[in-house]
Coordinates of all heavy atoms in Angstrom, one line a residue:
H1 N 0.8 -1.2 0.0 CA 0.0 0.0 0.0 C 0.9 1.2 0.0 O 1.9 1.3 0.7 CB -0.9 0.0 1.2 CG -1.9 -1.1 1.2 ND1 -3.1 -1.1 0.5 CD2 -1.8 -2.3 1.9 CE1 -3.7 -2.3 0.6 NE2 -3.0 -3.0 1.5
L2 N 0.4 2.2 -0.7 CA 1.1 3.5 -0.8 C 0.8 4.4 0.4 O 1.7 5.0 1.0 CB 0.8 4.2 -2.1 CG 1.3 5.6 -2.4 CD1 2.8 5.5 -2.4 CD2 0.8 6.1 -3.7
F3 N -0.5 4.6 0.7 CA -0.9 5.5 1.8 C -0.7 4.7 3.1 O -1.5 3.8 3.4 CB -2.3 6.0 1.5 CG -2.3 7.1 0.6 CD1 -1.3 7.5 -0.2 CD2 -3.5 7.9 0.5 CE1 -1.4 8.5 -1.1 CE2 -3.6 8.9 -0.4 CZ -2.5 9.2 -1.2
R4 N 0.2 5.2 3.9 CA 0.4 4.6 5.2 C 0.1 5.6 6.3 O -0.1 6.7 6.0 CB 1.8 4.0 5.3 CG 2.1 3.0 4.2 CD 3.5 2.4 4.2 NE 3.7 1.5 3.1 CZ 4.9 0.9 2.9 NH1 5.9 1.1 3.7 NH2 5.0 0.1 1.8
D5 N 0.2 5.1 7.5 CA -0.2 5.9 8.7 C 0.5 7.3 8.6 O 1.7 7.4 8.5 CB 0.2 5.2 10.0 CG -0.4 5.9 11.2 OD1 0.2 6.9 11.6 OD2 -1.4 5.5 11.7
P6 N -0.3 8.4 8.7 CA 0.3 9.7 8.5 C 1.3 10.2 9.6 O 2.0 11.1 9.4 CB -0.9 10.7 8.5 CG -2.0 9.9 9.3 CD -1.7 8.5 9.0
V7 N 1.3 9.4 10.7 CA 2.2 9.8 11.9 C 3.2 8.7 12.1 O 4.4 9.0 12.2 CB 1.4 10.1 13.1 CG1 2.3 10.4 14.3 CG2 0.4 11.2 12.9
H8 N 2.8 7.5 12.3 CA 3.6 6.4 12.7 C 4.1 5.5 11.6 O 4.9 4.6 11.8 CB 2.9 5.6 13.8 CG 2.5 6.4 15.0 ND1 3.4 7.0 15.9 CD2 1.3 6.7 15.4 CE1 2.7 7.6 16.8 NE2 1.4 7.5 16.5
G9 N 3.7 5.7 10.4 CA 4.1 4.9 9.3 C 5.5 5.0 8.9 O 6.1 6.1 9.2
D10 N 6.1 4.0 8.4 CA 7.5 4.1 7.9 C 7.7 5.1 6.8 O 8.7 5.7 6.6 CB 8.1 2.8 7.6 CG 7.4 2.2 6.3 OD1 6.2 2.4 6.2 OD2 8.1 1.4 5.6
L11 N 6.5 5.2 6.0 CA 6.5 6.2 5.0 C 5.1 6.9 5.1 O 4.2 6.7 4.4 CB 6.5 5.6 3.6 CG 7.9 5.0 3.2 CD1 7.8 4.2 1.9 CD2 8.9 6.2 3.0
P12 N 5.0 7.9 6.1 CA 3.7 8.6 6.3 C 3.3 9.3 5.0 O 4.1 10.0 4.3 CB 4.0 9.5 7.4 CG 5.5 9.7 7.4 CD 6.1 8.4 6.9
W13 N 2.0 9.1 4.6 CA 1.6 9.6 3.3 C 1.7 11.1 3.2 O 2.0 11.6 2.1 CB 0.2 9.1 3.0 CG -0.9 9.7 3.8 CD1 -1.5 9.1 4.9 CD2 -1.6 11.0 3.6 NE1 -2.5 10.0 5.4 CE2 -2.6 11.1 4.7 CE3 -1.5 12.0 2.7 CZ2 -3.4 12.2 4.8 CZ3 -2.3 13.1 2.8 CH2 -3.2 13.2 3.8
P14 N 1.6 12.0 4.2 CA 1.8 13.4 3.9 C 3.3 13.7 3.6 O 3.5 14.5 2.7 CB 1.4 14.1 5.3 CG 0.5 13.1 6.0 CD 1.1 11.7 5.6
G15 N 4.2 13.1 4.3 CA 5.6 13.3 4.0 C 6.0 12.7 2.7 O 6.7 13.3 1.9
M16 N 5.4 11.6 2.3 CA 5.7 11.0 1.0 C 5.2 11.8 -0.1 O 5.7 11.9 -1.2 CB 5.1 9.6 0.9 CG 5.5 8.8 -0.3 SD 4.3 7.5 -0.5 CE 2.8 8.4 -0.7
T17 N 3.9 12.4 0.1 CA 3.3 13.1 -1.0 C 3.9 14.5 -1.1 O 4.2 14.9 -2.3 CB 1.8 13.3 -0.7 OG1 1.2 12.0 -0.5 CG2 1.1 14.0 -1.9
V18 N 4.1 15.2 0.0 CA 4.6 16.6 -0.1 C 6.1 16.7 0.1 O 6.8 17.3 -0.7 CB 3.9 17.5 0.9 CG1 4.4 18.9 0.9 CG2 2.4 17.4 0.7
G19 N 6.6 16.0 1.1 CA 8.0 16.0 1.4 C 8.9 15.5 0.2 O 9.9 16.1 -0.1
L20 N 8.5 14.4 -0.3 CA 9.3 13.9 -1.5 C 9.2 14.7 -2.7 O 10.1 14.7 -3.5 CB 8.9 12.4 -1.7 CG 9.7 11.4 -0.9 CD1 9.1 10.1 -0.9 CD2 11.2 11.3 -1.4
T21 N 8.1 15.4 -2.8 CA 7.9 16.4 -4.0 C 8.9 17.5 -3.8 O 9.5 17.9 -4.8 CB 6.5 16.9 -4.0 OG1 5.6 15.8 -4.3 CG2 6.4 17.9 -5.2
I22 N 9.1 17.9 -2.6 CA 10.1 19.0 -2.3 C 11.5 18.5 -2.7 O 12.3 19.2 -3.3 CB 10.1 19.4 -0.9 CG1 8.8 20.1 -0.6 CG2 11.3 20.3 -0.5 CD1 8.5 20.4 0.9
L23 N 11.9 17.3 -2.3 CA 13.2 16.7 -2.6 C 13.3 16.5 -4.1 O 14.4 16.7 -4.6 CB 13.4 15.4 -1.8 CG 13.2 15.4 -0.3 CD1 13.6 14.1 0.3 CD2 14.0 16.6 0.3
A24 N 12.3 16.0 -4.7 CA 12.4 15.7 -6.2 C 12.5 17.1 -6.9 O 13.2 17.1 -7.9 CB 11.1 15.0 -6.6
T25 N 11.9 18.1 -6.5 CA 12.0 19.4 -7.2 C 13.4 19.9 -7.1 O 14.0 20.4 -8.0 CB 11.0 20.4 -6.5 OG1 9.7 19.9 -6.6 CG2 11.1 21.7 -7.3
W26 N 14.0 19.7 -5.9 CA 15.4 20.1 -5.7 C 16.3 19.3 -6.7 O 17.1 19.9 -7.4 CB 16.0 19.8 -4.3 CG 17.4 19.8 -4.2 CD1 18.3 20.8 -4.2 CD2 18.3 18.6 -4.2 NE1 19.6 20.4 -4.2 CE2 19.6 19.1 -4.2 CE3 18.0 17.2 -4.2 CZ2 20.7 18.2 -4.1 CZ3 19.1 16.4 -4.2 CH2 20.4 16.8 -4.2
Y27 N 16.1 18.0 -6.8 CA 17.0 17.2 -7.6 C 16.8 17.5 -9.1 O 17.7 17.8 -9.9 CB 16.8 15.7 -7.3 CG 17.7 14.8 -8.1 CD1 19.1 14.8 -7.8 CD2 17.2 14.1 -9.2 CE1 20.0 14.0 -8.6 CE2 18.1 13.3 -9.9 CZ 19.4 13.2 -9.6 OH 20.3 12.4 -10.4
W28 N 15.5 17.4 -9.6 CA 15.2 17.5 -11.0 C 15.3 18.9 -11.6 O 15.5 19.1 -12.7 CB 13.9 16.8 -11.3 CG 13.9 15.4 -11.1 CD1 13.4 14.7 -10.0 CD2 14.5 14.4 -12.0 NE1 13.7 13.3 -10.2 CE2 14.3 13.2 -11.4 CE3 15.1 14.5 -13.2 CZ2 14.7 12.0 -12.0 CZ3 15.5 13.3 -13.8 CH2 15.3 12.1 -13.2
C29 N 15.2 19.9 -10.6 CA 15.2 21.3 -11.2 C 16.5 22.1 -10.8 O 16.7 23.1 -11.5 CB 14.0 22.0 -10.6 SG 12.4 21.3 -11.1
T30 N 17.2 21.7 -9.8 CA 18.3 22.5 -9.4 C 19.7 21.7 -9.3 O 20.7 22.4 -9.3 CB 18.1 23.2 -8.1 OG1 18.2 22.2 -7.0 CG2 16.8 23.9 -8.0
D31 N 19.6 20.4 -9.3 CA 20.9 19.7 -9.1 C 21.7 19.7 -10.4 O 21.1 19.5 -11.5 CB 20.6 18.2 -8.7 CG 21.8 17.5 -8.4 OD1 22.4 17.7 -7.3 OD2 22.3 16.7 -9.3
Q32 N 23.0 20.0 -10.2 CA 23.8 20.2 -11.4 C 23.9 19.0 -12.3 O 24.0 19.1 -13.5 CB 25.2 20.6 -11.0 CG 26.2 20.9 -12.1 CD 25.9 22.2 -12.8 OE1 25.0 22.9 -12.5 NE2 26.6 22.4 -14.0
V33 N 23.8 17.8 -11.8 CA 23.9 16.6 -12.6 C 22.7 16.6 -13.6 O 23.0 16.2 -14.8 CB 23.8 15.3 -11.7 CG1 23.6 14.1 -12.5 CG2 25.0 15.2 -10.8
I34 N 21.6 17.0 -13.2 CA 20.4 17.0 -14.2 C 20.4 18.3 -15.0 O 20.2 18.3 -16.2 CB 19.1 16.9 -13.4 CG1 19.1 15.7 -12.5 CG2 17.9 17.0 -14.3 CD1 19.2 14.4 -13.4
V35 N 20.7 19.5 -14.4 CA 20.6 20.7 -15.1 C 21.7 20.8 -16.2 O 21.4 21.3 -17.3 CB 20.9 21.9 -14.1 CG1 21.1 23.2 -14.9 CG2 19.7 22.0 -13.2
Q36 N 22.9 20.2 -16.0 CA 23.9 20.2 -16.9 C 23.5 19.6 -18.3 O 23.9 20.0 -19.3 CB 25.2 19.6 -16.4 CG 26.5 19.8 -17.2 CD 27.7 19.4 -16.5 OE1 27.7 18.4 -15.7 NE2 28.8 20.0 -16.7
R37 N 22.7 18.5 -18.1 CA 22.2 17.9 -19.3 C 21.2 18.8 -20.1 O 21.2 18.8 -21.3 CB 21.5 16.5 -19.0 CG 22.5 15.5 -18.8 CD 22.1 14.4 -17.8 NE 23.1 13.3 -17.8 CZ 24.3 13.4 -17.3 NH1 24.7 14.5 -16.8 NH2 25.2 12.4 -17.4
S38 N 20.4 19.5 -19.4 CA 19.5 20.4 -20.0 C 20.2 21.5 -20.7 O 19.9 22.0 -21.8 CB 18.5 21.0 -19.0 OG 17.7 20.0 -18.4
L39 N 21.3 21.9 -20.1 CA 22.1 23.0 -20.7 C 22.8 22.6 -22.0 O 23.1 23.4 -22.9 CB 23.2 23.5 -19.8 CG 22.9 23.9 -18.3 CD1 24.1 24.5 -17.6 CD2 21.7 24.8 -18.3
S40 N 23.0 21.3 -22.2 CA 23.6 20.8 -23.4 C 22.7 20.5 -24.5 O 23.1 20.0 -25.6 CB 24.5 19.5 -23.1 OG 23.6 18.5 -22.7

């Protein structure tokens, strides 16, 4: 299951939905490894 307990789950669904989106935005939009390919 994807949605797990919002407080005690090993992957609480609020953190997985919003928190990982924040991390993914950092990586895919600002990390040099990815950006450098867009620049080329």
